[in-house]
């Protein structure tokens, strides 16, 4: 595979680097084909958000960090895209929150699980649940391969974090009485709508912020209690959708919001 050289001055260099990471890990089998498609969908929603972590996402991040730190058996569920984009942050967050890390794939195969294991081990993960036959329990409500879970991890968890997820599993986990934290750029997705705490943000921006928030809130039990009490996911989602609406209205007034050099008005 020849690596694509991204010119540093390219206006979308950062976004292209993220794509390259996914493509590279697709060739290493960690990322599913559909993971590339999912990323494109995420990028489209990121444009609508202005490619920034909104105030509402920051509130959800503080709440998610509080929830993970307060949980008795927190688990971070990892798929191909998450392992490719934020392996270090997954491991750091798991350490601070004393959470287990479990590999759980929609397009499940042992080859992919092992490729993801390698990525996370490189990032410093000591223990990784859900690989191969270790995912010996089943979530009966689910038809997809995501139903195979580790009895020491997702099955027993009280709080599960699911970055880039499918809605049906979020729903099934919530129905099992678990609190589900989702990271999803699309506030309209089933995952976003069904999760207990929805972080509408790019996983590459949200994860470092989650690590920082968890570090700050670690010894702050009372602060965490208040954060959890004051958060309303439905209101947060409504405000996020309103923010997109207002942003689009303001851009619509301008029509062209990026100016062109040597602009000609002749057609
Ligand atoms: O690795 P696997 O086999 O578990 O498969 C993972 C994918 C992502 C392919 C699988 O879960 C899937 O098909 O997901 P969906 O239904 O396409 O949903 C993915 C969601 O993630 C969409 O709502 C996207 O908008 C969102 N998304 C994509 N990239 C990002 C993102 N959200 C946050 N950060 C991103 N970088």
């Amino acid at each position: 595979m020849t690596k694509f050289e991204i010119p540093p001055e390219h206006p979308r260099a950062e976004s292209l680097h993220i794509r390259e990471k996914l493509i590279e890990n697709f060739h290493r089998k960690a990322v599913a084909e559909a993971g590339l498609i999912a990323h494109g969908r995420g990028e489209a929603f990121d444009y609508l958000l202005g490619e920034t972590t909104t105030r509402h996402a920051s509130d959800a991040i503080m709440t998610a960090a509080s929830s993970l730190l307060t949980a008795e058996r927190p688990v971070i569920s990892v798929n191909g895209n998450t392992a490719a984009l934020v392996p270090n942050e997954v491991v750091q967050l798991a350490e601070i929150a004393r959470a287990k890390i479990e590999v759980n794939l929609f397009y499940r195969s042992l080859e992919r699980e092992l490729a993801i294991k390698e990525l996370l081990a490189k990032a410093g993960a000591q223990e990784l649940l859900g690989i191969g036959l270790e995912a010996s329990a089943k979530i009966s409500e689910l038809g997809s391969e995501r139903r195979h879970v580790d009895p020491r991890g997702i099955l027993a968890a009280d709080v599960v974090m699911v970055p880039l997820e499918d809605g049906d599993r979020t729903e099934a986990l919530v129905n099992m009485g678990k609190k589900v934290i989702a990271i999803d750029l699309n506030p309209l997705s089933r995952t976003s709508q069904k999760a207990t705490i929805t972080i509408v943000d790019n996983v590459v921006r949200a994860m470092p912020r989650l690590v920082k928030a968890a570090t700050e809130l670690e010894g702050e039990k009372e602060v965490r209690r208040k954060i959890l009490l004051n958060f309303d996911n439905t209101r947060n989602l409504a405000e996020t959708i309103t923010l997109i609406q207002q942003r689009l209205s303001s851009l619509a007034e301008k029509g062209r919001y990026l100016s062109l050099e040597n602009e000609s008005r002749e057609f």
Side-chain angles (χ1 to χ4, degrees):
M1 187 190 65
T2 42
K3 209 168 165 359
F4 175 65
E5 286 297 325
I6 298 162
E9 70 284 359
H10 192 287
R12 299 212 43 89
E14 207 184 316
S15 165
L16 293 179
H17 278 295
I18 295 173
R19 282 188 184 177
E20 280 303 301
K21 247 190 222 177
L22 287 169
I23 293 169
E24 198 183 312
N25 283 295
F26 163 70
H27 289 296
R28 289 190 183 143
K29 311 288 180 206
V31 172
E33 281 170 334
L36 302 178
I37 299 169
H39 183 73
R41 184 142 50 112
E43 279 184 343
F45 276 97
D46 213 2
Y47 252 81
L48 303 183
L49 283 167
E51 295 178 301
T52 182
T53 300
T54 65
R55 182 166 54 83
H56 312 297
S58 296
D59 287 348
I61 286 169
M62 290 301 275
T63 311
S66 300
S67 176
L68 284 168
L69 288 164
T70 309
E72 281 176 25
R73 294 172 305 280
V75 172
I76 302 175
S77 177
V78 175
N79 63 15
N81 291 45
T82 308
L85 295 179
V86 283
N88 297 323
E89 288 83 355
V90 165
V91 174
Q92 286 161 15
L93 184 62
E95 261 170 33
I96 303 163
R98 292 168 198 85
K100 295 199 156 116
I101 306 174
E102 178 163 341
V103 180
N104 182 280
L105 305 179
F106 188 80
Y107 301 97
R108 189 166 186 254
S109 76
L110 187 58
E111 187 185 35
R112 287 194 61 216
E113 286 172 350
L114 294 176
I116 290 167
K117 185 180 178 179
E118 200 182 314
L119 279 171
L120 290 168
K122 240 189 233 165
Q126 304 286 339
E127 190 192 27
L128 210 54
L129 306 183
I131 310 274
L133 295 176
E134 285 179 356
S136 59
K138 268 190 197 155
I139 299 178
S140 53
E141 244 186 77
L142 271 182
S144 80
E145 285 296 299
R146 285 204 191 277
R147 70 184 182 278
H148 301 284
V149 292
D150 198 309
R152 300 162 298 167
I154 289 169
L155 191 74
D158 53 349
V159 175
V160 188
M161 191 167 103
V162 293
L164 276 86
E165 182 57 27
D166 319 85
D168 56 341
R169 182 167 73 130
T170 304
E171 199 169 354
L173 294 175
V174 169
N175 286 343
M176 287 167 83
K178 300 177 195 300
K179 295 193 172 75
V180 177
I181 301 166
I183 306 178
D184 193 327
L185 279 160
N186 178 2
L188 310 176
S189 74
R190 286 180 67 81
T191 301
S192 289
Q193 294 288 318
K194 299 282 178 179
T196 321
I197 301 167
T198 310
I199 302 169
V200 181
D201 198 7
N202 197 318
V203 75
V204 300
R205 291 192 301 268
M207 281 302 286
R209 284 172 169 80
L210 260 166
V211 172
K212 187 168 175 278
T215 310
E216 285 167 8
L217 290 167
E218 203 184 349
E220 304 287 345
K221 204 171 168 190
E222 190 47 30
V223 179
R224 293 197 315 250
R225 198 184 65 80
K226 281 194 186 136
I227 290 174
L228 287 168
L229 212 64
N230 287 330
F231 185 75
D232 178 339
N233 205 41
T234 305
R235 194 182 63 210
N236 197 274
L237 278 168
E239 288 173 355
T240 303
I241 296 167
T242 305
L243 195 123
I244 294 175
Q245 182 195 35
Q246 288 168 345
R247 184 163 186 274
L248 290 181
S249 296
S250 120
L251 293 180
E253 273 174 32
K254 293 180 189 151
R256 175 181 286 170
Y257 73 100
L258 296 176
S259 57
L260 302 175
E261 274 177 46
N262 306 321
E263 192 170 352
S264 159
R265 300 210 168 272
E266 286 171 23
F267 293 96

Short mmCIF file of all heavy atoms in Angstrom, two decimals, residues 17-63:
data_model
loop_
_atom_site.label_atom_id
_atom_site.label_comp_id
_atom_site.label_asym_id
_atom_site.label_seq_id
_atom_site.Cartn_x
_atom_site.Cartn_y
_atom_site.Cartn_z
N HIS A 17 -5.65 13.68 7.19
CA HIS A 17 -4.85 12.80 8.04
C HIS A 17 -5.73 11.78 8.76
O HIS A 17 -5.37 10.61 8.90
CB HIS A 17 -4.07 13.62 9.08
CG HIS A 17 -2.80 14.20 8.52
ND1 HIS A 17 -1.75 13.41 8.10
CD2 HIS A 17 -2.42 15.48 8.28
CE1 HIS A 17 -0.78 14.18 7.64
NE2 HIS A 17 -1.16 15.43 7.72
N ILE A 18 -6.88 12.23 9.20
CA ILE A 18 -7.82 11.32 9.89
C ILE A 18 -8.28 10.23 8.92
O ILE A 18 -8.30 9.04 9.25
CB ILE A 18 -9.01 12.11 10.47
CG1 ILE A 18 -8.50 13.05 11.57
CG2 ILE A 18 -10.08 11.17 11.02
CD1 ILE A 18 -9.55 14.02 12.10
N ARG A 19 -8.61 10.65 7.70
CA ARG A 19 -9.02 9.66 6.68
C ARG A 19 -7.91 8.64 6.44
O ARG A 19 -8.18 7.44 6.32
CB ARG A 19 -9.30 10.37 5.35
CG ARG A 19 -10.62 11.03 5.31
CD ARG A 19 -10.86 11.50 3.90
NE ARG A 19 -12.09 12.25 3.82
CZ ARG A 19 -12.51 12.82 2.71
NH1 ARG A 19 -11.81 12.72 1.61
NH2 ARG A 19 -13.64 13.48 2.69
N GLU A 20 -6.67 9.14 6.34
CA GLU A 20 -5.54 8.25 6.08
C GLU A 20 -5.38 7.20 7.18
O GLU A 20 -5.07 6.05 6.92
CB GLU A 20 -4.24 9.06 5.94
CG GLU A 20 -4.07 9.69 4.58
CD GLU A 20 -4.11 8.68 3.43
OE1 GLU A 20 -3.29 7.76 3.41
OE2 GLU A 20 -5.00 8.81 2.57
N LYS A 21 -5.59 7.66 8.44
CA LYS A 21 -5.50 6.72 9.57
C LYS A 21 -6.52 5.59 9.41
O LYS A 21 -6.23 4.43 9.67
CB LYS A 21 -5.81 7.49 10.87
CG LYS A 21 -4.62 7.62 11.79
CD LYS A 21 -5.07 8.16 13.11
CE LYS A 21 -4.08 9.20 13.57
NZ LYS A 21 -4.48 9.83 14.82
N LEU A 22 -7.72 5.97 8.98
CA LEU A 22 -8.77 4.95 8.82
C LEU A 22 -8.45 4.02 7.65
O LEU A 22 -8.61 2.80 7.75
CB LEU A 22 -10.13 5.63 8.60
CG LEU A 22 -10.73 6.26 9.84
CD1 LEU A 22 -11.93 7.12 9.49
CD2 LEU A 22 -11.16 5.19 10.84
N ILE A 23 -7.97 4.60 6.56
CA ILE A 23 -7.64 3.78 5.38
C ILE A 23 -6.50 2.80 5.71
O ILE A 23 -6.58 1.61 5.40
CB ILE A 23 -7.27 4.69 4.18
CG1 ILE A 23 -8.49 5.48 3.73
CG2 ILE A 23 -6.70 3.86 3.02
CD1 ILE A 23 -8.20 6.60 2.74
N GLU A 24 -5.49 3.34 6.40
CA GLU A 24 -4.34 2.50 6.81
C GLU A 24 -4.82 1.33 7.68
O GLU A 24 -4.44 0.17 7.46
CB GLU A 24 -3.41 3.40 7.62
CG GLU A 24 -2.01 2.91 7.79
CD GLU A 24 -1.25 3.90 8.68
OE1 GLU A 24 -1.32 5.12 8.44
OE2 GLU A 24 -0.61 3.42 9.63
N ASN A 25 -5.70 1.63 8.62
CA ASN A 25 -6.18 0.57 9.51
C ASN A 25 -7.25 -0.30 8.88
O ASN A 25 -7.54 -1.38 9.39
CB ASN A 25 -6.65 1.18 10.83
CG ASN A 25 -5.46 1.54 11.69
OD1 ASN A 25 -4.72 0.66 12.12
ND2 ASN A 25 -5.24 2.83 11.89
N PHE A 26 -7.82 0.19 7.78
CA PHE A 26 -8.71 -0.68 7.00
C PHE A 26 -7.85 -1.76 6.33
O PHE A 26 -8.18 -2.94 6.35
CB PHE A 26 -9.45 0.16 5.94
CG PHE A 26 -10.06 -0.65 4.86
CD1 PHE A 26 -11.16 -1.46 5.12
CD2 PHE A 26 -9.54 -0.64 3.57
CE1 PHE A 26 -11.72 -2.24 4.12
CE2 PHE A 26 -10.09 -1.41 2.57
CZ PHE A 26 -11.19 -2.21 2.84
N HIS A 27 -6.69 -1.35 5.79
CA HIS A 27 -5.80 -2.33 5.15
C HIS A 27 -5.21 -3.29 6.18
O HIS A 27 -4.88 -4.42 5.85
CB HIS A 27 -4.69 -1.61 4.37
CG HIS A 27 -5.22 -0.95 3.13
ND1 HIS A 27 -5.77 -1.66 2.08
CD2 HIS A 27 -5.32 0.36 2.79
CE1 HIS A 27 -6.19 -0.82 1.14
NE2 HIS A 27 -5.92 0.41 1.55
N ARG A 28 -5.08 -2.83 7.43
CA ARG A 28 -4.58 -3.74 8.48
C ARG A 28 -5.71 -4.56 9.10
O ARG A 28 -5.51 -5.19 10.13
CB ARG A 28 -3.92 -2.92 9.58
CG ARG A 28 -2.60 -2.32 9.17
CD ARG A 28 -1.90 -1.75 10.37
NE ARG A 28 -0.69 -1.11 9.98
CZ ARG A 28 -0.20 0.00 10.53
NH1 ARG A 28 -0.85 0.57 11.53
NH2 ARG A 28 0.93 0.52 10.13
N LYS A 29 -6.92 -4.42 8.56
CA LYS A 29 -8.09 -5.21 8.94
C LYS A 29 -8.80 -4.73 10.20
O LYS A 29 -9.80 -5.32 10.62
CB LYS A 29 -7.77 -6.72 9.13
CG LYS A 29 -6.98 -7.34 8.01
CD LYS A 29 -7.84 -7.49 6.79
CE LYS A 29 -7.06 -8.12 5.65
NZ LYS A 29 -7.58 -7.76 4.34
N ALA A 30 -8.31 -3.68 10.85
CA ALA A 30 -8.98 -3.22 12.09
C ALA A 30 -10.30 -2.53 11.76
O ALA A 30 -11.32 -2.74 12.43
CB ALA A 30 -8.06 -2.28 12.86
N VAL A 31 -10.31 -1.72 10.69
CA VAL A 31 -11.50 -0.96 10.32
C VAL A 31 -12.30 -1.74 9.27
O VAL A 31 -11.72 -2.30 8.33
CB VAL A 31 -11.09 0.43 9.76
CG1 VAL A 31 -12.28 1.18 9.17
CG2 VAL A 31 -10.42 1.26 10.86
N ALA A 32 -13.63 -1.76 9.45
CA ALA A 32 -14.49 -2.45 8.48
C ALA A 32 -14.69 -1.57 7.25
O ALA A 32 -14.56 -0.35 7.34
CB ALA A 32 -15.85 -2.72 9.13
N GLU A 33 -15.04 -2.19 6.12
CA GLU A 33 -15.35 -1.39 4.90
C GLU A 33 -16.40 -0.34 5.23
O GLU A 33 -16.27 0.84 4.88
CB GLU A 33 -15.89 -2.30 3.79
CG GLU A 33 -14.81 -3.06 3.07
CD GLU A 33 -15.38 -4.13 2.14
OE1 GLU A 33 -16.50 -4.62 2.39
OE2 GLU A 33 -14.69 -4.48 1.17
N ALA A 34 -17.42 -0.79 5.95
CA ALA A 34 -18.52 0.13 6.29
C ALA A 34 -18.05 1.23 7.26
O ALA A 34 -18.71 2.26 7.37
CB ALA A 34 -19.68 -0.65 6.90
N GLY A 35 -16.92 0.98 7.91
CA GLY A 35 -16.36 2.00 8.80
C GLY A 35 -15.95 3.23 8.03
O GLY A 35 -16.04 4.36 8.52
N LEU A 36 -15.50 3.02 6.78
CA LEU A 36 -15.10 4.15 5.93
C LEU A 36 -16.34 4.95 5.52
O LEU A 36 -16.32 6.17 5.48
CB LEU A 36 -14.34 3.65 4.70
CG LEU A 36 -13.07 2.82 4.98
CD1 LEU A 36 -12.43 2.36 3.68
CD2 LEU A 36 -12.06 3.63 5.79
N ILE A 37 -17.40 4.21 5.23
CA ILE A 37 -18.66 4.88 4.86
C ILE A 37 -19.20 5.66 6.07
O ILE A 37 -19.61 6.82 5.96
CB ILE A 37 -19.71 3.84 4.39
CG1 ILE A 37 -19.18 3.12 3.14
CG2 ILE A 37 -21.06 4.50 4.13
CD1 ILE A 37 -20.00 1.90 2.74
N ALA A 38 -19.15 5.02 7.23
CA ALA A 38 -19.65 5.67 8.47
C ALA A 38 -18.89 6.96 8.74
O ALA A 38 -19.46 7.96 9.16
CB ALA A 38 -19.52 4.70 9.64
N HIS A 39 -17.59 6.94 8.45
CA HIS A 39 -16.78 8.13 8.70
C HIS A 39 -17.23 9.29 7.79
O HIS A 39 -17.31 10.44 8.24
CB HIS A 39 -15.30 7.84 8.48
CG HIS A 39 -14.43 9.01 8.80
ND1 HIS A 39 -14.20 9.40 10.10
CD2 HIS A 39 -13.80 9.90 8.02
CE1 HIS A 39 -13.44 10.49 10.09
NE2 HIS A 39 -13.17 10.81 8.83
N GLY A 40 -17.54 8.94 6.54
CA GLY A 40 -18.01 9.97 5.60
C GLY A 40 -19.30 10.60 6.11
O GLY A 40 -19.47 11.82 6.03
N ARG A 41 -20.16 9.78 6.65
CA ARG A 41 -21.42 10.32 7.21
C ARG A 41 -21.10 11.25 8.38
O ARG A 41 -21.66 12.33 8.51
CB ARG A 41 -22.30 9.16 7.67
CG ARG A 41 -23.64 9.58 8.18
CD ARG A 41 -24.73 8.62 7.76
NE ARG A 41 -24.38 7.23 8.06
CZ ARG A 41 -25.00 6.52 8.98
NH1 ARG A 41 -25.95 7.04 9.70
NH2 ARG A 41 -24.67 5.25 9.17
N GLY A 42 -20.17 10.81 9.21
CA GLY A 42 -19.76 11.65 10.35
C GLY A 42 -19.21 12.98 9.88
O GLY A 42 -19.57 14.03 10.42
N GLU A 43 -18.36 12.94 8.86
CA GLU A 43 -17.75 14.19 8.34
C GLU A 43 -18.83 15.17 7.89
O GLU A 43 -18.71 16.38 8.12
CB GLU A 43 -16.87 13.88 7.12
CG GLU A 43 -15.49 13.38 7.46
CD GLU A 43 -14.64 13.18 6.19
OE1 GLU A 43 -15.21 13.12 5.08
OE2 GLU A 43 -13.41 13.08 6.33
N ALA A 44 -19.87 14.65 7.25
CA ALA A 44 -20.94 15.53 6.76
C ALA A 44 -21.60 16.25 7.94
O ALA A 44 -21.84 17.46 7.89
CB ALA A 44 -21.96 14.72 5.97
N PHE A 45 -21.88 15.49 9.00
CA PHE A 45 -22.48 16.13 10.18
C PHE A 45 -21.51 17.08 10.87
O PHE A 45 -21.93 18.10 11.42
CB PHE A 45 -23.01 15.07 11.15
CG PHE A 45 -24.38 14.59 10.77
CD1 PHE A 45 -24.54 13.44 10.04
CD2 PHE A 45 -25.50 15.33 11.09
CE1 PHE A 45 -25.79 13.01 9.64
CE2 PHE A 45 -26.77 14.93 10.70
CZ PHE A 45 -26.91 13.76 9.98
N ASP A 46 -20.23 16.77 10.79
CA ASP A 46 -19.24 17.65 11.42
C ASP A 46 -19.23 19.02 10.71
O ASP A 46 -19.06 20.06 11.35
CB ASP A 46 -17.85 17.00 11.38
CG ASP A 46 -17.01 17.36 12.59
OD1 ASP A 46 -17.53 18.09 13.47
OD2 ASP A 46 -15.84 16.93 12.67
N TYR A 47 -19.43 19.01 9.40
CA TYR A 47 -19.53 20.28 8.65
C TYR A 47 -20.69 21.11 9.20
O TYR A 47 -20.58 22.32 9.37
CB TYR A 47 -19.82 19.97 7.17
CG TYR A 47 -18.65 20.23 6.25
CD1 TYR A 47 -17.63 19.31 6.13
CD2 TYR A 47 -18.58 21.40 5.50
CE1 TYR A 47 -16.56 19.53 5.28
CE2 TYR A 47 -17.52 21.63 4.64
CZ TYR A 47 -16.51 20.69 4.54
OH TYR A 47 -15.46 20.92 3.70
N LEU A 48 -21.80 20.43 9.45
CA LEU A 48 -22.99 21.16 9.93
C LEU A 48 -22.75 21.76 11.31
O LEU A 48 -23.26 22.82 11.64
CB LEU A 48 -24.22 20.24 9.97
CG LEU A 48 -24.60 19.56 8.65
CD1 LEU A 48 -25.87 18.75 8.82
CD2 LEU A 48 -24.78 20.59 7.54
N LEU A 49 -21.94 21.07 12.10
CA LEU A 49 -21.63 21.56 13.46
C LEU A 49 -20.55 22.65 13.45
O LEU A 49 -20.29 23.27 14.47
CB LEU A 49 -21.11 20.40 14.32
CG LEU A 49 -22.12 19.40 14.87
CD1 LEU A 49 -21.40 18.19 15.41
CD2 LEU A 49 -22.97 20.04 15.97
N GLY A 50 -19.88 22.82 12.31
CA GLY A 50 -18.77 23.78 12.24
C GLY A 50 -17.46 23.16 12.69
O GLY A 50 -16.53 23.89 13.05
N GLU A 51 -17.38 21.84 12.71
CA GLU A 51 -16.16 21.09 13.09
C GLU A 51 -15.57 21.62 14.39
O GLU A 51 -14.37 21.88 14.51
CB GLU A 51 -15.13 21.15 11.95
CG GLU A 51 -15.64 20.43 10.71
CD GLU A 51 -14.67 20.50 9.54
OE1 GLU A 51 -14.35 21.61 9.11
OE2 GLU A 51 -14.23 19.43 9.09
N THR A 52 -16.44 21.76 15.36
CA THR A 52 -16.00 22.27 16.66
C THR A 52 -16.77 21.55 17.77
O THR A 52 -17.87 21.03 17.53
CB THR A 52 -16.24 23.80 16.72
OG1 THR A 52 -15.77 24.28 17.96
CG2 THR A 52 -17.70 24.17 16.58
N THR A 53 -16.17 21.53 18.97
CA THR A 53 -16.87 20.95 20.12
C THR A 53 -17.79 22.02 20.68
O THR A 53 -17.31 23.04 21.17
CB THR A 53 -15.86 20.47 21.17
OG1 THR A 53 -15.03 19.48 20.57
CG2 THR A 53 -16.54 19.89 22.40
N THR A 54 -19.07 21.81 20.56
CA THR A 54 -20.04 22.83 21.00
C THR A 54 -20.11 22.86 22.53
O THR A 54 -19.65 21.95 23.21
CB THR A 54 -21.45 22.51 20.47
OG1 THR A 54 -21.88 21.29 21.09
CG2 THR A 54 -21.45 22.33 18.95
N ARG A 55 -20.74 23.92 23.03
CA ARG A 55 -20.95 24.05 24.48
C ARG A 55 -21.77 22.84 24.99
O ARG A 55 -21.53 22.31 26.07
CB ARG A 55 -21.71 25.36 24.74
CG ARG A 55 -21.97 25.68 26.17
CD ARG A 55 -22.41 27.12 26.30
NE ARG A 55 -23.55 27.48 25.45
CZ ARG A 55 -24.82 27.25 25.77
NH1 ARG A 55 -25.12 26.64 26.90
NH2 ARG A 55 -25.80 27.61 24.96
N HIS A 56 -22.71 22.41 24.16
CA HIS A 56 -23.58 21.30 24.57
C HIS A 56 -22.79 19.98 24.62
O HIS A 56 -23.01 19.15 25.50
CB HIS A 56 -24.76 21.19 23.62
CG HIS A 56 -25.41 22.52 23.40
ND1 HIS A 56 -26.00 23.22 24.42
CD2 HIS A 56 -25.49 23.29 22.30
CE1 HIS A 56 -26.44 24.37 23.96
NE2 HIS A 56 -26.14 24.44 22.67
N ALA A 57 -21.87 19.83 23.66
CA ALA A 57 -21.02 18.63 23.69
C ALA A 57 -20.12 18.68 24.93
O ALA A 57 -19.92 17.65 25.59
CB ALA A 57 -20.18 18.55 22.42
N SER A 58 -19.62 19.85 25.26
CA SER A 58 -18.76 19.97 26.46
C SER A 58 -19.55 19.58 27.72
O SER A 58 -19.01 18.90 28.60
CB SER A 58 -18.25 21.41 26.63
OG SER A 58 -17.43 21.73 25.55
N ASP A 59 -20.81 20.01 27.81
CA ASP A 59 -21.65 19.63 28.96
C ASP A 59 -21.82 18.11 29.01
O ASP A 59 -21.73 17.49 30.08
CB ASP A 59 -23.04 20.28 28.86
CG ASP A 59 -22.97 21.78 29.14
OD1 ASP A 59 -21.93 22.26 29.62
OD2 ASP A 59 -23.98 22.46 28.85
N ALA A 60 -22.07 17.52 27.84
CA ALA A 60 -22.27 16.06 27.78
C ALA A 60 -20.97 15.34 28.16
O ALA A 60 -21.00 14.28 28.80
CB ALA A 60 -22.75 15.65 26.39
N ILE A 61 -19.84 15.92 27.77
CA ILE A 61 -18.54 15.31 28.10
C ILE A 61 -18.32 15.32 29.61
O ILE A 61 -17.91 14.31 30.20
CB ILE A 61 -17.40 16.04 27.34
CG1 ILE A 61 -17.44 15.65 25.86
CG2 ILE A 61 -16.03 15.74 27.95
CD1 ILE A 61 -16.55 16.49 24.94
N MET A 62 -18.60 16.44 30.26
CA MET A 62 -18.46 16.52 31.73
C MET A 62 -19.38 15.49 32.39
O MET A 62 -19.00 14.82 33.36
CB MET A 62 -18.81 17.93 32.24
CG MET A 62 -17.81 19.00 31.86
SD MET A 62 -16.15 18.66 32.49
CE MET A 62 -16.28 19.32 34.14
N THR A 63 -20.58 15.35 31.86
CA THR A 63 -21.56 14.41 32.44
C THR A 63 -21.08 12.97 32.22
O THR A 63 -21.18 12.13 33.12
CB THR A 63 -22.94 14.63 31.80
OG1 THR A 63 -23.24 16.02 31.84
CG2 THR A 63 -24.02 13.87 32.53
#
